[in-house]
Amino acid sequence: MDVLLIQPPTGSYRRDDRCQSRVEDQTIQVHFPPMDLAHHAAVLERDGFECAIRDYSTAGTPLGRALEEIGGIRPKMVFFSSTQPTQANDLAFAQRIKDLLGEVTVVLRGESVTFQDQVILSEYPQVDFILRGESEETLSELASLLLKAKPIPLEEIAGLSFRGGGMTIRTPDRPFIKDLNRLPWPARHLLDQSLYRSPETGNTITTLYAARGCPYPCIFCPAPLASGRPVRLRAVSDLLAEIRHCVEEYGIREFLFHGDTFTYSREWVLELCRAIEEAGLRIRWGCNSRVDTIDPEMLRAMKRAGCWVIGFGVESGHEETLKRVRKAVKREKIVEAFRMCREAGIRSHAFFVFGFPWETEEHLAADLVLAREIDPDFFDFNIAYPLPGTELLAMVQNESLYHEERVDQGGYAVPATRTHALSAEELDRWRRKALLSLYLRPSYIARTLWLAGSPRKTFNYIRAGARRLRQLLSNRRSSPVIEEFPADSAEPLPRASLPEAKATGA
Ligand code: SF4
């Protein structure tokens, strides 16, 4: 086996560059396939490498069994995406792989390691290479050099960080892929599709990378850093062909369109919706959007093409926060967007963020007022999570608001920061209070069950709701992941500390 691409058995997390959080801390607790791995595997296979993908985290594979399987596969290279909340355990798992296989090459990618490459490579010898930025081609070029002895000097592989001469060598950044249609479709045949189910219907679900890039400057979001500012759209014909392939080859009819702002180009969305509708594929899908990029005609077209839910980064109900996070939307635009969705018969998911440095109880109360006013079908209140490379991280570090010791503990649900007015504990209490007070409205429960539409879905909603309430009412405040490592194995390594970080007390 040339390359084994894995999701380590270190807890169930969204490992997207933009969304790095525990699955169980979100309202819709869905396990999406690791499409980042499938995209990298597709390029490797195109270039003649033998690959396999193992999603140990979604499969719930115990550490020992995962290591046993990896020992049996004996890959020459192991590759995975690391995120900020999983980093400590990812590094510990990389060490186990090195201990097991000795000569194996361990390669990491991901938004968080891209910005911490020097710290990780200098402190963690179990990591051999870090791929920075968009890395499908980088991985294949590296594999060509190491596994096929192609005469490409390491220094000429763009977007690569590695050790050399006692220091970290960073090759120049790799330009973003201009034409996404050049990339092969993800290697879905390497995934165990049965692991990925819609929590609502129980049907198999998959994601489709429709677009990459975001031109907006939101201070907390790594999307423009990870995917670039120009929005790169896939050709509608290519996307439609991939959808058809999923339907015909795998029987998959439920999709999430992955794109930082799926509705950025009105013409493209209308063209795609028309194509899906005319193809008669009878699919069901969701996407992410911005409140200022939709209109009634677009929503009607999306509904006809099978769109049932749209997620919006609302962030805040307070004009000061909307302005200072540079979201570039007004409160009334948010209200209008949710009204338009309701009129179009598309369900809405609102994502709020609590805990920007300047926020007081007044700001969080304004979020709750807006949430009640727009009355979304699904909602999350995430604690601001300062990700590497973002302006928010620099801000909380400079203003001594950063709780670095909590960064590993879970992402959006366990505060890794505080505000000047509110402690981490107060932010946690506000989050729970906001979620519980909105979930437990009788009108909300009645509407959710009414809209479920079938006994099976009603049962799934009741089950998901009960689980969510149990989680919110429990006292679990931190990730149990590290403790899940068996006692008879070596302790996980401590996480890398960011050189410029200042941990503070609440
Ligand atoms: S609009 Fe803002 S939050 Fe949304 S993807 Fe772009 S930068 Fe991120």
Side-chain angles (χ1 to χ4, degrees):
M1 172 70 59
D2 292 320
V3 187
L4 179 63
L5 303 96
I6 58 169
Q7 293 237 73
T10 51
S12 196
Y13 282 79
R14 291 287 300 274
R15 285 176 182 258
D16 296 339
D17 288 336
R18 191 158 75 92
C19 182
Q20 304 177 25
S21 180
R22 286 170 68 101
V23 170
E24 77 168 46
D25 289 333
Q26 297 294 298
T27 290
I28 300 183
Q29 299 183 5
V30 54
H31 297 275
F32 289 114
M35 219 41 86
D36 55 332
L37 302 184
H39 274 283
H40 284 79
V43 174
L44 287 168
E45 286 196 328
R46 178 199 69 190
D47 295 343
F49 294 98
E50 189 194 358
C51 307
I53 297 177
R54 293 289 184 275
D55 182 353
Y56 294 122
S57 83
T58 304
T61 311
L63 174 71
R65 202 171 321 140
L67 287 170
E68 196 180 311
E69 186 182 45
I70 293 170
I73 294 173
R74 299 205 75 75
K76 296 175 190 141
M77 182 182 279
V78 170
F79 170 78
F80 57 95
S81 294
S82 185
T83 64
Q84 190 65 12
T86 60
Q87 192 181 98
N89 285 327
D90 291 342
L91 291 170
F93 190 65
Q95 181 63 57
R96 304 290 175 88
I97 292 171
K98 279 281 186 184
D99 293 345
L100 182 74
L101 298 176
E103 286 301 294
V104 68
T105 301
V106 173
V107 184
L108 302 189
R109 72 159 295 279
E111 187 272 340
S112 65
V113 297
T114 287
F115 289 95
Q116 299 173 80
D117 56 341
Q118 292 183 335
V119 177
I120 292 171
L121 287 167
S122 65
E123 293 184 18
Y124 296 92
Q126 67 270 39
V127 178
D128 297 297
F129 294 95
I130 288 177
L131 312 185
R132 306 188 320 273
E134 223 163 48
S135 52
E136 287 94 343
E137 302 285 358
T138 318
L139 180 64
S140 188
E141 287 176 23
L142 180 64
S144 297
L145 168 68
L146 299 181
L147 309 184
K148 287 188 177 168
K150 281 225 172 131
I152 320 168
L154 268 181
E155 290 74 11
E156 288 185 14
I157 300 178
L160 194 63
S161 297
F162 55 97
R163 277 181 295 275
M167 54 190 283
T168 300
I169 297 172
R170 306 180 100 224
T171 65
D173 290 344
R174 179 172 288 265
F176 291 108
I177 299 164
K178 276 205 181 78
D179 178 9
L180 293 180
N181 304 302
R182 267 199 311 115
L183 284 175
W185 294 345
R188 286 195 173 79
H189 59 283
L190 298 180
L191 296 168
D192 176 358
Q193 307 282 356
S194 67
L195 291 173
Y196 314 105
R197 302 269 173 189
S198 156
E200 191 197 35
T201 62
N203 298 331
T204 305
I205 189 167
T206 194
T207 52
L208 292 155
Y209 271 86
R212 292 183 184 178
C214 180
Y216 297 97
C218 308
I219 64 166
F220 55 89
C221 179
L225 302 165
S227 310
R229 292 199 183 277
V231 177
R232 293 162 291 149
L233 300 165
R234 281 179 63 189
V236 164
S237 55
D238 188 44
L239 199 45
L240 187 71
E242 188 182 339
I243 296 170
R244 194 187 291 281
H245 177 74
C246 290
V247 171
E248 291 172 357
E249 191 72 19
Y250 301 107
I252 300 174
R253 291 187 181 273
E254 300 217 22
F255 299 89
L256 172 75
F257 279 114
H258 211 294
D260 296 315
T261 298
F262 177 79
T263 50
Y264 181 73
S265 165
R266 185 173 192 276
E267 293 68 35
W268 180 84
V269 172
L270 291 176
E271 186 190 344
L272 176 65
C273 290
R274 204 167 33 247
I276 293 172
E277 199 185 346
E278 285 172 8
L281 289 172
R282 292 184 297 108
I283 61 169
R284 195 167 177 270
W285 52 274
C287 64
N288 290 322
S289 179
R290 270 179 63 98
V291 295
D292 57 352
T293 58
I294 57 168
D295 60 66
E297 187 194 344
M298 182 196 279
L299 291 173
R300 281 195 296 275
M302 290 167 73
K303 173 77 179 171
R304 285 197 303 274
C307 177
W308 75 277
V309 65
I310 303 177
F312 295 99
V314 170
E315 327 308 355
S316 177
H318 200 289
E319 291 289 4
E320 183 194 2
T321 293
L322 288 172
K323 190 165 171 213
R324 291 181 74 171
V325 300
R326 297 215 288 278
K327 188 73 189 180
V329 293
K330 292 278 186 199
R331 191 182 186 284
E332 61 262 24
K333 204 73 186 161
I334 298 171
V335 175
E336 188 191 356
F338 280 79
R339 179 183 52 73
M340 284 193 290
C341 281
R342 200 166 302 116
E343 285 170 4
I346 295 178
R347 299 171 82 182
S348 56
H349 190 155
F351 294 89
F352 288 84
V353 180
F354 274 176
F356 291 106
W358 55 86
E359 288 198 321
T360 64
E361 291 199 335
E362 181 199 317
H363 294 84
L364 309 195
D367 295 353
L368 268 172
V369 169
L370 178 63
R372 286 179 185 276
E373 187 176 341
I374 60 178
D375 198 12
D377 297 289
F378 308 100
F379 42 84
D380 277 291
F381 290 83
N382 297 325
I383 310 280
Y385 187 64
L387 288 168
T390 62
E391 225 177 299
L392 179 64
L393 178 61
M395 196 179 275
V396 297
Q397 285 174 338
N398 291 338
E399 298 179 25
S400 300
L401 301 171
Y402 191 38
H403 289 289
E404 191 200 353
E405 75 284 2
R406 296 175 185 226
V407 161
D408 293 339
Q409 295 299 312
Y412 300 151
V414 178
T417 180
R418 64 186 175 98
T419 79
H420 287 289
L422 297 166
S423 68
E425 289 70 24
E426 285 168 316
L427 290 175
D428 182 41
R429 273 199 296 279
W430 264 92
R431 175 178 175 273
R432 287 170 192 253
K433 186 176 89 173
L435 288 167
L436 287 170
S437 67
L438 290 171
Y439 284 141
L440 294 176
R441 289 169 298 161
S443 60
Y444 176 72
I445 295 170
R447 185 181 81 201
T448 303
L449 296 180
W450 171 254
L451 287 175
S454 74
R456 183 186 181 198
K457 286 199 226 166
T458 305
F459 173 76
N460 287 340
Y461 272 106
I462 292 172
R463 191 173 55 175
R467 185 174 55 226
R468 187 78 171 126
L469 289 180
R470 261 199 319 277
Q471 288 161 351
L472 285 169
L473 292 170
S474 77
N475 283 325
R476 185 193 66 72
R477 301 277 306 276
S478 59
S479 166
V481 174
I482 288 177
E483 285 71 37
E484 285 170 9
F485 280 75
D488 59 352
S489 301
E491 284 299 303
L493 296 173
R495 75 177 298 281
S497 46
L498 306 175
E500 68 276 41
K502 294 177 202 153
T504 64

